[in-house]
Amino acid sequence: MAEDDIQLLVRIKTGDYNAFEILFNRYYNFLCNSALMFVKDSFLAEDIVQEVFVKIWETRTVINITSSIKSYLFIAVKNRSLNKIQSETVRKEYSSRFLNQQNNEVLQVELEQEEFREHLYRCIQKLPPRCKDVFLESRFKEMKQEQIAAKMHISLKTVKTQVSKALRYIQNCLQLYYPEYF
Amino acid sequence: MNDKVEIICSYLSGTSTEEEILLFNEIMEQKEGRLLFAQLKRIWDEAPNVRNHQEYDSKRAFYELSKRMETNRKLKRRYLVATISGIAASILLVFGLWGIIKLQGDRNNQTEITFKTETGNRSELVLPDGSKVWLNAQTQIKYSPDFGKSNRNVSLSGEAYFDVSHSTKPFVVDVKDFKIKVYGTKFNISAYPDDQYFQTSLESGQISIKKEGNEEITVKPGQLIKYERKSSAFQSGTVETERYSAWRLNKMYLDNETIKDLARKLERQYNILISFVPESLGEGIHYSGIFTNENVTEVLDAISIASGLKYTKKDNKYTIEKK
């Protein structure tokens, strides 16, 4: 756990609202996007994350976090998201995949995966405009390269070049964010 | 010359030529090549998973959360007061019922019953059949005194959210251009006479839309039906319906709307006038976002910053122009 997080938690326990705000700003974005993986609605995702923080503030005097704050928040958001998933079938699928494996190792993997996605998203946002457009058509809309070429009025060769340019760019960008992985 | 990234990229997208497949196999024979492949494959595979990611405004969110906690505290304090006033309310309700009975007594004169909200106001009401209606600003709902007996017809101008009680008698909402038939359900209708579009979104249950001379359209839960008045054409799409009735909870949800449409909403909600200089400015800029309980200057500030605009205010008139 980052030293900073421990200090923040200590300050929060003593009723320091400013420390609470710092913690909130630090993880809000990450947690909303994590919640979004389950609930598919950014409106609801924000509600869930805010509820988790409200709970933290209200129970601050008795709260006992043994793992890192980030993974504590992540688990809280995940559980709350699963509770909100309306469809029983979806919940079943998730619960067999996630809930029964509440051990630390699996959670660590999930958390690491969400962190990777957060970095990946940042890097995609930074792609040069034209390159980004082609990459988004290819990976977000999962369009075939021929379709992209036709839609954007460019040659198939250009599509290929832009997609690999994007991959190279993202790989370099991730290296900056993420020296442990790359 | 093809480089390694390009060859791996062709492989990942399934577009490798025979020559590229050979080169790919060569890359995979080296440890360093396999590592590069693993890295690029992870990017490739994970990219679709971040398509819904977005940048959230944590400052705004923290402000929202602080307000939410403040309200929680107040609610707890008010609990006792609420119980006492609850008793007072039931006494009032008895008088209220008397009023309705009396009204039904003189129903020979077929005057319609009208509920209206002014600019800047919202209201909720319960219809004689137990259905609930939330009226947004500048909205009018009318029904005849025999509502609930021989029919369940209302006519609507403006925006309302309906929670219709179940009955074998269909509940019909007339918005002038078309009628919506309902069988016990929750849905939102926006039909302001000065808007380009009428739209309705269904949260649960079943509704159908009937326009004179057209076939009846059945709407499924989660669907939004948009009606362009100029061309008399219907469009449909799947949406998060809560967003369209978010106004009930004082939230304004905007999904790529022109700032002209947004200005109309603000005018109704805050009883102000907004103009654009030049007028075409309002059509050209689109905005997405959520506002909760903000006052009008907070909303205008947010839009101005996001779209490079500035605004001036005189009395209740706002003028928006390019910076």
Side-chain angles (χ1 to χ4, degrees), chain A:
Chain A
M1 174 164 24
E3 188 60 32
D4 217 3
D5 274 3
I6 304 173
Q7 285 166 353
L8 276 184
L9 189 62
V10 171
R11 281 167 62 194
I12 290 169
K13 274 171 166 294
T14 62
D16 185 338
Y17 200 66
N18 191 243
F20 180 60
E21 183 172 2
I22 296 170
L23 186 76
F24 183 90
N25 284 328
R26 184 173 296 170
Y27 294 123
Y28 188 69
N29 218 30
F30 169 73
L31 293 170
C32 284
N33 281 326
S34 302
L36 198 61
M37 298 304 291
F38 300 102
V39 298
K40 312 284 178 213
D41 175 10
S42 62
F43 214 49
L44 188 56
E46 286 200 78
D47 262 358
I48 289 168
V49 175
Q50 290 186 25
E51 277 170 25
V52 165
F53 275 100
V54 168
K55 192 96 194 167
I56 293 221
W57 182 252
E58 282 171 351
T59 58
R60 64 186 178 277
T61 49
V62 289
I63 208 162
N64 185 19
I65 299 177
T66 48
S67 57
S68 81
I69 298 182
K70 191 173 186 181
S71 57
Y72 179 93
L73 289 168
F74 178 74
I75 295 164
V77 164
K78 191 184 99 177
N79 288 341
R80 206 165 271 255
S81 304
L82 291 175
N83 284 336
K84 297 253 168 153
I85 296 175
Q86 294 287 314
S87 150
E88 204 42 49
T89 46
V90 180
R91 192 184 300 177
K92 262 184 203 152
E93 189 207 333
Y94 273 115
S95 49
S96 59
R97 272 170 56 199
F98 297 107
L99 282 188
N100 296 336
Q101 317 166 320
Q102 283 284 18
N103 70 62
N104 261 334
E105 239 165 82
V106 174
L107 278 168
Q108 219 43 54
V109 171
E110 273 183 66
L111 180 62
E112 191 268 345
Q113 179 167 305
E114 283 310 321
E115 283 171 339
F116 178 84
R117 288 175 181 161
E118 191 73 8
H119 294 312
L120 177 60
Y121 172 75
R122 291 267 149 89
C123 292
I124 290 173
Q125 292 312 308
K126 285 186 186 165
L127 284 170
R130 199 171 154 73
C131 182
K132 183 175 167 186
D133 291 343
V134 176
F135 188 75
L136 294 190
E137 296 287 350
S138 164
R139 300 312 298 143
F140 280 17
K141 297 194 188 151
E142 299 190 79
M143 272 168 78
K144 287 222 165 80
Q145 299 199 338
E146 292 85 3
Q147 293 173 308
I148 301 170
K151 187 184 168 190
M152 300 181 76
H153 306 292
I154 51 179
S155 72
L156 192 58
K157 175 104 183 51
T158 312
V159 177
K160 276 192 143 185
T161 319
Q162 293 292 351
V163 174
S164 47
K165 189 177 156 195
L167 277 184
R168 192 179 297 118
Y169 183 97
I170 294 168
Q171 192 213 12
N172 286 332
C173 171
L174 281 169
Q175 249 154 7
L176 286 180
Y177 268 121
Y178 221 20
E180 320 94 71
Y181 179 71
F182 283 102

